[in-house]
Amino acid sequence: MVIGKKYLLHNPTFAPILLDTLGVSFTSSSPSRPEVDPLAPQQHTSLLSSPSRRLGAIAGLLSGGIAVTIGMLVAALGTVASPIDAVGSSFIDRTPRWLKTLAIDWFGTNDKTALRVGIVIVLIAVALIAGSFSVTSPKPLISAIIIFAFLGALSASEREGSNGASILAPIVGATIGIASAVLLLSMLTNSWLAASTPSPSRVPLGWDRRRFMRASAAVGATAVTAGLIGQSKELQRVRSTESQRPDSLPPVANSLPPSEISQDVSFITPNSDFYRIDTTLSFPNVNLEKWKLRIHGLVDQEIILSYADIAAMPQVEKTITICCVSNEIGGPYIGNAVWQGVYLKDLLLQAGVKSEAEQVFSRSLDGWTCGFPIEIALDGRDALLAIGMNGEPLPLAHGFPVRLIVPGIYGYISATKWLSEIEVNKWSDAEGYWIPRGWARDAPIKTQSRIDVPRSGATVTAGQTRVAGVAWAQHTGIQKVEVRINDEKWNDALLGDDITDDTWRLWTFDWQATPGTHTIQVRATDKSGYTQTEMVTGVAPDGATGWHTRTVTVA
Ligand SMILES: Nc1nc2c(c(=O)[nH]1)N[C@H]1C(S)=C(S)[C@@H](COP(=O)(O)O)O[C@H]1N2
Ligand SMILES: [Mo]
């Protein structure tokens, strides 16, 4: 683009050809334009309108860019989400179910990066177009900047934890953006006027052009600098949250047996490999000293706990497999970890749950909410207020300082990360984040199984071949796993240790592989006697069903 810009500036006659080459056409010019005096009255409009639009687009890009990066900088200084992330979060909140499912299908856990990239592409496109239409009057570009600033401020105002800086960021950004737009466009208009006034000397045009370029460079450099400072402030913010994580966890009362070792599939999912699903674009601010968990609502007495209070309570360690309702058959959004913390039930009993209570409704520092039946919290299962994951304090991505872990129900109704509040209430009092978005209110985890080995796309050599994977039916337990090849008879797989009913079970099956293409299928039977249905359903509204099938080629 820089080359294009220079080229256009120095060769106005050639501009339409270049624009055509770039696929941008503002004039109906033909490449074989006859040699004419470029300043002849009947020619100069068509000749010069193209390059000036191009320059307008550059002015649009630069002033839009500086508006965004100054907005990012102000937001970072105020330790709030950047205007882009605020708009992104508002977009996430309004994403219809089909689009959310599509985004996860296409981009997986990169869906947030995809969203950010999408927003930036829209901004760039609008800036270029608005700029190109602003050569004669800056109104289109100024309007576009104001509209986006308004969107940014509106989105920021609906974010949990937003403050003055959230609203100030898009306003300051827009002000600088508009000033830059006016500055650059006025120079463009001047150069345009200079160019269209036949003059024996081209000096005024050259002078204006150089000024425009210098001003553009200054705006561009300021934008990049602001962006870089904003980015480093944001990294600093995340690091400062990270630095509040204690070095170690308080000791636990129970100790778990060493976990099963398998070459094929890991029983415990390391934190670095653990799936991450949430609606958060940037980690919420955590101030560990000030952090308080409030347990209130339909209880006899409200409880307020600090992190130190929770850490001082008797600690338990439980191995629990959690999974996401958006996990397709065979999908990766499931993980098994050793969670450390305190029993949720103890705290609820301490608060005294009133008989009319129906729902344990929780809220996070980023404003996300969910709720599950009070019976599940009280029926004796290992529902935890967790502070540790696999021997270390909860990582930021997994909910530091405190999260909920409830065996047997999907994460979207139970596993609140960055927990801030638990309210015991009635179903009619509040709905969790995903419920009005079309997901089921009650969502026990469905019995499922997955083939992990042979990995998809792996080349298998004929002979004895290890087929392996995991099967889960949290809080019911896995009783049997069967494997079949090419729709033949089902064979019992060998099951790994039955640690508790709340974890997945590893399984293996030794297969005499013969050359050719084969399908491998798996199905699990849980301890209630239920065998996974063959019927394939999608993830919405309460989890996918069907048998995981993998096709392999044996050489
Ligand atoms: N604050 C917050 N907590 C949340 C979510 C969220 O979007 N925000 N997503 C939930 C969902 S849908 C799942 S499946 C689990 C995932 O936990 P993980 O990211 O630690 O694997 O967290 C739950 N807790
Ligand atoms: Mo989820």
Side-chain angles (χ1 to χ4, degrees), residues 100-265:
K100 182 221 173 205
T101 311
L102 196 73
I104 292 192
D105 274 1
W106 284 3
F107 304 113
T109 35
N110 293 324
D111 54 347
K112 286 171 195 158
T113 311
L115 175 63
R116 281 204 185 94
V117 169
I119 292 174
V120 169
I121 289 174
V122 168
L123 286 175
I124 290 176
V126 171
L128 288 172
I129 293 168
S132 76
F133 284 102
S134 296
V135 179
T136 42
S137 151
K139 272 186 200 149
L141 184 53
I142 292 178
S143 313
I145 294 176
I146 290 176
I147 289 169
F148 278 97
F150 182 72
L151 259 180
L154 204 66
S155 304
S157 70
E158 66 175 26
R159 301 321 309 160
E160 187 84 7
S162 68
N163 58 27
S166 324
I167 312 288
L168 203 63
I171 295 176
V172 175
T175 309
I176 307 256
I178 289 171
S180 306
V182 170
L183 174 81
L184 295 178
L185 290 172
S186 73
M187 287 180 176
L188 218 51
T189 315
N190 289 345
S191 77
W192 165 244
L193 289 177
S196 54
T197 314
S199 140
S201 123
R202 299 274 205 83
V203 172
L205 175 57
W207 181 77
D208 269 338
R209 180 204 307 151
R210 216 172 301 136
R211 268 191 43 168
F212 175 78
M213 284 166 62
R214 252 191 243 143
S216 295
V219 170
T222 312
V224 169
T225 310
L228 290 176
I229 299 177
Q231 202 59 39
S232 83
K233 286 275 166 210
E234 169 63 14
L235 286 178
Q236 227 172 299
R237 185 184 75 84
V238 172
R239 267 202 301 273
S240 100
T241 308
E242 183 74 50
S243 71
Q244 296 182 68
R245 288 176 67 218
D247 295 331
S248 60
L249 289 165
V252 285
N254 69 323
S255 69
L256 291 174
S259 68
E260 198 172 353
I261 308 295
S262 153
Q263 295 160 284
D264 306 308
V265 185

Side-chain angles (χ1 to χ4, degrees), residues 504-518:
W504 61 19
R505 269 181 99 171
L506 307 185
W507 59 264
T508 58
F509 172 70
D510 286 328
W511 169 41
Q512 290 302 327
T514 52
T517 300
H518 306 281

Side-chain angles (χ1 to χ4, degrees), residues 454 457-462 511 513-520 550-555:
T459 2
V460 173
T461 35
W511 169 41
T514 52
T517 300
H518 306 281
T519 58
I520 308 173
R550 184 160 281 179
T551 305
V552 291
T553 305
V554 179

Side-chain angles (χ1 to χ4, degrees), residues 294-302 348-349 351-361 374 378 422-429:
R294 187 165 160 243
I295 302 176
H296 67 113
L298 296 173
V299 293
D300 299 330
Q301 70 194 36
E302 185 173 314
L348 291 175
L349 292 183
V353 174
K354 293 210 155 84
S355 59
E356 63 268 35
E358 292 171 347
Q359 175 177 222
V360 177
F361 187 78
I374 185 85
L378 300 176
I422 294 176
E423 183 186 342
V424 177
N425 60 18
K426 286 175 164 290
W427 293 115
S428 55
D429 292 335

Side-chain angles (χ1 to χ4, degrees), residues 275 277 323-326 411-412:
Y275 81 97
I277 296 276
C323 61
C324 184
V325 70
S326 295
Y412 81 101

